Amino acid sequence: DVDTVTLADVESNIVRCPDEEVAEKMIGRIDEIRKTGNSIGGVVECVARNVPAGLGAPVFDKLEAELAKACMSLPASKGFEVGSGFPGTLVTGIEHNDPFYIDKDGRTRTITNRSGGIQGGISNGETIVVRVAFKPTSTIARSQETVTRDGVETELLARGRHDPCVLPRAVPMVESMVALVLADHLMQQIAQCSLLPEDEEAAINPLGPKPQQDSIVSRQK
């Protein structure tokens, strides 16, 4: 659950999956692949709670675009999703939209969070949810066809220690990239909005839940 998962849950096992039952299956699958000299990929999901509304921009510095750029800069990354991601293309607009309501604290919230905490390139105060896909490790203990610099076809057999799955190592990397992007946008927001005095009467109703601790958590899926 993106609203309750903790860093302790994520770090409770070697594959950094907060679901112990699923973690055991993942460990078994990775070991099975390792014994064949092959590799396997997967998806890391990262959630950021307690993110203030208003970070990002509607066009050139969209928050999801900045997150995508950062996460896709990581080695072996091959895909990026925010919120509903690609499955969101399979539903209609009325099914995908996040209806707004006022919670018990008088704050503007969304009933669902298919947008993943970002709407129109700007954070809306809800939990930010992103997923990054990582390909199988390229260097494997199997013979592979290749071509030398001289244009000669040959076979390559890698030697040495290589991870059968990079996902456990990717979890803190995704977490760090998300944290850096959010910190950058938070500083930009403070710098820009502090230049002019705020008109309290014109201020919008606060967005998102009240701040809580444990803001950024990433995990394998």
Side-chain angles (χ1 to χ4, degrees):
D1 187 338
V2 298
D3 293 321
T4 60
V5 64
T6 66
L7 286 173
D9 295 332
V10 174
E11 297 294 336
S12 63
N13 54 72
I14 60 174
V15 290
R16 292 191 165 105
C17 175
D19 187 315
E20 286 297 329
E21 184 177 346
V22 174
E24 288 300 319
K25 294 180 180 179
M26 292 175 66
I27 292 171
R29 177 60 174 160
I30 293 173
D31 195 47
E32 177 186 352
I33 290 294
R34 178 188 62 82
K35 291 176 180 178
T36 66
N38 211 341
S39 63
I40 194 172
V43 177
V44 172
E45 182 177 73
C46 182
V47 301
R49 298 189 288 259
N50 196 26
V51 178
L55 304 188
V59 184
F60 298 109
D61 294 311
K62 284 176 174 277
L63 186 56
E64 65 262 52
E66 295 290 292
L67 288 168
K69 177 183 177 181
C71 290
M72 290 298 291
S73 297
L74 295 172
S77 61
K78 287 297 181 182
F80 179 87
E81 289 184 341
V82 57
S84 62
F86 291 106
T89 65
L90 304 178
V91 300
T92 63
I94 193 64
E95 294 171 316
H96 190 272
N97 289 343
D98 294 319
F100 288 94
Y101 75 102
I102 300 297
D103 68 9
K104 59 182 178 60
D105 298 313
R107 302 176 68 88
T108 301
R109 304 285 308 280
T110 59
I111 296 175
T112 53
N113 190 27
R114 297 184 184 90
S115 59
I118 305 173
Q119 293 178 316
I122 300 173
S123 63
N124 65 2
E126 299 296 334
T127 298
I128 290 178
V129 183
V130 301
R131 286 172 293 276
V132 187
F134 289 87
K135 70 180 181 68
T137 312
S138 299
T139 307
I140 57 178
R142 284 192 180 185
S143 179
Q144 303 179 78
E145 295 179 352
T146 188
V147 176
T148 67
R149 293 197 309 174
D150 298 325
V152 178
E153 293 183 344
T154 184
E155 288 190 352
L156 171 67
L157 180 60
R159 301 185 184 279
R161 179 189 177 281
H162 302 283
D163 292 333
C165 181
V166 300
L167 236 55
R169 298 182 186 275
V171 169
M173 296 169 67
V174 171
E175 179 183 317
S176 298
M177 281 298 196
V178 170
L180 287 169
V181 171
L182 294 179
D184 281 345
H185 277 272
L186 183 60
M187 289 189 291
Q188 291 177 35
Q189 177 77 352
I190 293 174
Q192 293 170 358
C193 296
S194 296
L195 294 176
L196 299 173
E198 182 179 357
D199 185 352
E200 295 185 1
E201 293 185 359
I204 64 171
N205 196 57
L207 294 166
K210 283 188 175 181
Q212 298 177 356
Q213 295 183 346
D214 298 328
S215 298
I216 299 178
V217 180
S218 54
R219 58 182 178 172
Q220 289 196 48
K221 292 191 68 182

